[in-house]
Amino acid sequence: MRLAATTALLAAYLAGAEPLAAALREAPAPTLETIYEGGLQEGWEDWGWAPRDTEGGHAARINFANYAGWALVHRRGSLPHAEAVNFSLGALPSFGEFLELRVATAADDRFPRVHIEARHMGRGKDNALWVRVPMAELNPKGTPFDRLILRAHRAVDGAWVEIDHYTLSGAPGQVAAGPDPLSFDFDNEQPRRLNAVSVNCEAAGQSISPLIYGIGFDPRSTDDAPWQLGASSRRWGGSPTSRYNWQLGNAWNTGADWFFTNINYAPHAGFSWRTFLDDNRAHQIKAAMSLPMLGWVARDRKSYAFPVQTFGPQGATAPPNGDMGNGLGIDGAPLRSGNPTLTSRPAPPEFVAAWVRAIVQHAKGNPRRDVAMYVLDDEPGLWHYRHRDVHPQPLTYDELLGRTLAYGSAIRRADPGALIAGPAAWGWADYFYSGQDQKVGLASRPDRLMHNDTELLSWYLTKLRDYDQRTGHRLLNLLDVHFTPQAAHVFGAD
C-alpha cells in the first residue's frame, strides 16, 4: 500500500513549520543536483544497508527498522556548494521524529548528525510533506562531501517510508558548479548489496557463544541504538585505538583517516574507557578491548603530524586550520615522516600493561568480568599507511611476532585470566602476506620468501605454538581476522 505524503504525519508539528511551508510554496530554491526523482539519478550509487525498493518509477520505499540507513554516493566527486537538502517524506504518524541526515566522504564521516525535526518540515504546493535541512547545519565548515546518509536514530517498525524529490538546492540565482573530484578512487569501489545467509544451528550440535552477537563501538554516537539492538558484546576498536592514550582519558590520533591529528574523539564531556566499560556493565554487555601495540600513543588532543609551516604546501589541509596538512605533497606523493614525538609519546609494553591493571582494578567488586577479550591493536598490517607518521615502514613477519610476544606477555602478566586475540588482520591479503609484501607487491613477496614462502598467519600461529610449548604459557587464545574488500589502488596488491 502506497504511503501518501499527504497523510497526517507529524500533523501536530506542522503548525509551527509555517515559515518553511510558505517558503516551499512561494519561493522554491533552484535545484543544483537531483539525487532521486522517481528513481536514482545518473551518477549516483545506492550503498544503503536498509531493505528497500528503489527500482524506479515511484518514490523510494525504505525500511528503517533496526536503525537501518540509506546511503547514496555521488560517483563523480564532491557535490556543488548547496544551501539545503530537500525531499518529500511519507511515513506512519507513529514514527514521529525518527530520521537523521548527515553528509560524509569515504575518508570522513565526522560531519554533524542532524535529527530531522518540526523546524525542518512543511507542506509544499501540492500539500505534500517536505523536508528541507539547511547545509549550514549539515556542513557548517563547507567541507567537500560526496554522499548523503539517511538513518533512523531511534527504533521504528518495518513499515515502508517513502522518499522522493531528493535534491540539493541553492540560493536564488545560484547555478550548479562543476564537480570537484575527491582523491578517492570510485572506479575501484563496488556498490553494496543485500545478501541472505541461513545458519542451521541445530545441525551443528553445539551452542553458539552469545559473544558473537556483538557490535562495533562509535565514541561519537549518543543514541540508544547499541542497547536496543540486543547486542551481547561491544568492541572498542578501529584505527584510532592504535594511538589511544588511556592516561589522558580521551586522546586519540586519527592517522590517515583525518590529517594525522590528535583529537578528543567523543562528543560528550567526561567520556573515557571507564565510561565505556561502565555503560557496558549497566547494560550487561561484555567488552572486546583493542590495546595499542604500535608503540606510540597521542601525547595530547591537539597536535598534528604534517604542519604546512614545517613540511610545505600539501595536497589538502583540514578546514579551518590551513596549517594541518594531509601528509601528501602537491603531486600526491607521501611526504617523509617527521619526528613521532610531534604528536605522540612512546607506549612500550609496560604502558599497556598498566592500562590492563587499571581495567582489572576498575572491575573490582563486579561479579562479571568487564572485558571478554583483549585484542592486539587494530590491523597492524596497515600501520605504514594509516599511521605512517610514527610507523612509516611496513610491518614484517618478525616485527609482528616480536610485538605479539612483548605486548601479549605484558598483558598476560597484568591479567592472567585474560583471553588475548590477534593479530587483527585487515583483510584477505593480510592473512597470507606481511605489510612489507603488500607494499612491495604480492607477486614478489620478499618478506614471505625470507620465511620459507609460508603464509603469514600459518607462520605466525606456528611460532606462537612453539612459544607456548617452550614456556608452558599460552599467549594467544583467539585468532582475530577482519574482512575488508580488496583495494589494489591503495595497497599495491595484485
Side-chain angles (χ1 to χ4, degrees), residues 166 174 304 318 365 472 484:
Y166 199 177
Q174 183 178 355
Y304 44 93
T484 304

Side-chain angles (χ1 to χ4, degrees), residues 199-201 206-216 226-227 229-235 284-286 373:
V199 179
N200 185 346
C201 299
Q206 183 174 340
S207 61
I208 295 176
S209 168
L211 294 179
I212 72 165
Y213 303 105
I215 56 175
W227 321 123
L229 287 172
S232 56
S233 60
R234 200 160 61 130
R235 172 178 173 259
Q284 298 186 332
I285 286 180
K286 296 281 191 178
M373 72 181 73

Side-chain angles (χ1 to χ4, degrees), residues 32-35 43-44 72-82 85 103-104 135 139 142-148 168 176-182:
L32 303 181
E33 177 78 29
T34 299
I35 304 166
W44 288 87
L72 299 179
V73 179
H74 191 237
R75 283 185 55 84
R76 295 190 298 274
S78 59
L79 292 153
H81 298 290
V85 176
V103 300
M135 196 58 67
N139 189 11
T143 305
F145 67 94
D146 58 20
R147 60 199 65 193
L148 297 95
L168 295 174
D180 177 18
L182 299 174

Side-chain angles (χ1 to χ4, degrees), residues 13-100:
Y13 301 141
L14 296 182
E18 273 309 305
L20 174 57
L24 288 166
R25 286 194 300 266
E26 298 166 12
T31 297
L32 303 181
E33 177 78 29
T34 299
I35 304 166
Y36 191 100
E37 183 81 39
L40 195 61
Q41 299 300 291
E42 184 180 355
W44 288 87
E45 287 188 350
D46 185 340
W47 286 21
W49 63 97
R52 57 204 180 276
D53 174 9
T54 56
E55 291 303 314
H58 54 72
R61 299 178 183 128
I62 314 295
N63 178 343
F64 284 104
N66 298 318
Y67 300 90
W70 191 34
L72 299 179
V73 179
H74 191 237
R75 283 185 55 84
R76 295 190 298 274
S78 59
L79 292 153
H81 298 290
E83 192 166 87
V85 176
N86 316 275
F87 55 87
S88 64
L89 175 65
L92 293 177
S94 60
F95 281 17
E97 296 176 342
F98 73 102
L99 271 181
E100 166 191 287

Side-chain angles (χ1 to χ4, degrees), residues 351-401:
F351 176 88
V352 174
W355 185 14
V356 173
R357 289 193 293 270
I359 291 172
V360 172
Q361 182 66 27
H362 186 71
K364 262 194 170 178
N366 176 29
R368 290 164 47 91
R369 170 179 278 273
D370 286 342
V371 178
M373 72 181 73
Y374 299 106
V375 184
L376 298 176
D377 213 284
D378 182 80
E379 302 182 346
L382 295 179
W383 282 344
H384 67 285
Y385 168 67
R386 287 181 177 159
H387 299 287
R388 62 182 178 81
D389 57 316
V390 297
H391 197 284
Q393 297 304 315
L395 191 74
T396 64
Y397 276 54
D398 294 332
E399 184 185 4
L400 176 61
L401 178 63

